[in-house]
Structure formats: structure tokens, C-alpha cells
Amino acid sequence: MASPEPSQQAAGRGRPRDASRDAALRQAALEVLAQVGYRALTMDAVANHARAGKATIYRRWDSKLDLVIDTCNELVQRRIPEPDLGSVSEDLGEFLRSFATLLTGPVGKAAQALVGELPHEPELATKFRESFLLPQRDTMRKIIERGVQRGEINPGAPIDTVVELAGAGLIYRLMLADEPLDTNFVDRLVGEALVPLLHR
């Protein structure tokens, strides 16, 4: 029989979980992470920021790794729905605009703080990819594969390349270019690069 996940173990300790309290603790973790980065983040700092006892946090998460990954995963799942508007162009545009909005807000600042740590924290890197990056990749693949099923996209289209370019374009604009990651950029990325590749 499989062992329960750490968050499930934590949930079994102490009083019943309060979903509103969970949200407040995740928000505190996000803000502390954006301010100090992953290495300097401590459960004490999160507790102080949330005006909560450290035991309150440990009843929910066994470690700061569990807390950070759960926070990123929960926020991404809640804020980026999978669109189904009837065309790949519309769906990719809607999804990537939502993702860009997420990345330019508090979640994006926290993600940037984490990215710099990934080469030095193998476990964090694995969990971050699994919870934050791979679900976005899988959603884009599903959008394009629906287009293949509708006959809108050629089955031989370079789906993996398009998905990788989409993610790379957002991250480049966010972290390297001295230009905004905004709606205009996303619309150009979709209309001038991604969709033409799929129709090539």
C-alpha cells in the first residue's frame, strides 16, 4: 500500500484543516519567498509573516520544500484554467495570457527566486518541474492535440517544439529582456511564431 503524501500526513495531525488558514499561510510563504529567496526562507519567517505559530505550519507541511511546492502548485492550478474556445489559436492565446499574468504577479516573483536555486537544489528542481512546469506543458499539448483531433492542425506538426518555444518565450521576456511580458507580446508570440509553426 502506498504511503500518504507529506501534505496528507501533515493533515492528519492536530486539529482539522482550515482551508482559509491554508490560503493565508501559502500567501505568506509566497511573499517571504519573493523577498528573501528559497535558501533564506524559514518556517519561522513564514509563521511571523502570517502571524501564526510555527506548529500551525508543521501541522500542514513537513518541510519548507513541501510548503513551497504546495504553494506554487495550488496557485497555478487555481489561477490558470484550461481554455476550450474551439480553436488552437484562441486557446493558446487565452492560456498564455493567463500564464503571463500569473508570472508577472507575486507567483512570478517567487518563481524567479526559485529558478536561481534549482541548479543547487536537486530535490527542489524535480518538485518544481513536476508541480509548476510540467502541468503547463501538458495543458499546451492538450490544447494542440485537440486541434489535431478537429483536423485544424496537421498530425505531423512540431508540437513539442511549439510547447518549448512558448515556455521559453515567456521566461525570456520575464527574466532576461528589458521589455514587458504583456498581452501584446503573447499575441505576437502566438500569431507570428506558434500557430504558423503548427500550420507549416
Side-chain angles (χ1 to χ4, degrees), residues 100-149:
T101 298
L102 183 77
L103 289 174
T104 52
V107 174
K109 292 179 181 178
Q112 290 180 64
L114 284 178
V115 166
E117 300 293 343
L118 300 186
H120 314 291
E121 299 280 351
E123 186 178 6
L124 174 64
T126 297
K127 294 293 186 181
F128 182 73
R129 292 187 186 103
E130 289 175 351
S131 66
F132 192 86
L133 298 179
L134 295 185
Q136 314 318 315
R137 182 200 67 181
D138 292 344
T139 296
M140 284 189 281
R141 285 190 62 87
K142 285 170 66 177
I143 287 171
I144 297 169
E145 286 167 356
R146 281 202 304 266
V148 172
Q149 293 169 2

Side-chain angles (χ1 to χ4, degrees), residues 13-189:
R13 296 198 295 265
R15 71 188 66 177
R17 291 277 290 267
D18 178 349
S20 65
R21 194 62 177 146
D22 288 2
L25 292 170
R26 289 190 184 102
Q27 184 63 34
L30 195 69
E31 292 170 2
V32 173
L33 180 62
Q35 291 169 6
V36 305
Y38 178 76
R39 289 193 187 186
L41 182 144
T42 64
M43 296 299 225
D44 283 324
V46 174
N48 289 337
H49 197 76
R51 297 181 179 178
K54 190 163 65 170
T56 300
I57 298 177
Y58 276 112
R59 277 198 296 269
R60 292 159 166 82
W61 300 281
D62 289 337
S63 68
K64 75 174 184 179
L65 175 65
D66 292 333
L67 170 58
V68 167
I69 295 302
D70 181 57
T71 296
C72 291
N73 196 31
E74 178 70 18
L75 289 168
V76 169
Q77 288 180 350
R78 190 171 73 238
R79 295 187 185 181
I80 309 184
E82 180 186 332
D84 189 0
L85 303 174
S87 79
V88 169
S89 178
E90 288 184 273
D91 288 345
L92 279 180
E94 181 70 18
F95 175 77
L96 291 175
R97 283 190 293 271
S98 297
F99 198 18
T101 298
L102 183 77
L103 289 174
T104 52
V107 174
K109 292 179 181 178
Q112 290 180 64
L114 284 178
V115 166
E117 300 293 343
L118 300 186
H120 314 291
E121 299 280 351
E123 186 178 6
L124 174 64
T126 297
K127 294 293 186 181
F128 182 73
R129 292 187 186 103
E130 289 175 351
S131 66
F132 192 86
L133 298 179
L134 295 185
Q136 314 318 315
R137 182 200 67 181
D138 292 344
T139 296
M140 284 189 281
R141 285 190 62 87
K142 285 170 66 177
I143 287 171
I144 297 169
E145 286 167 356
R146 281 202 304 266
V148 172
Q149 293 169 2
R150 289 193 299 263
E152 179 186 356
I153 301 297
N154 189 307
I159 296 176
D160 289 336
T161 299
V162 167
V163 169
E164 289 172 0
L165 284 176
L170 296 189
I171 297 303
Y172 168 80
R173 193 77 169 198
L174 177 72
M175 301 185 68
L176 299 175
D178 187 22
E179 297 179 81
L181 174 56
D182 56 13
T183 298
N184 289 336
F185 171 74
V186 172
D187 289 346
R188 286 197 297 110
L189 178 66

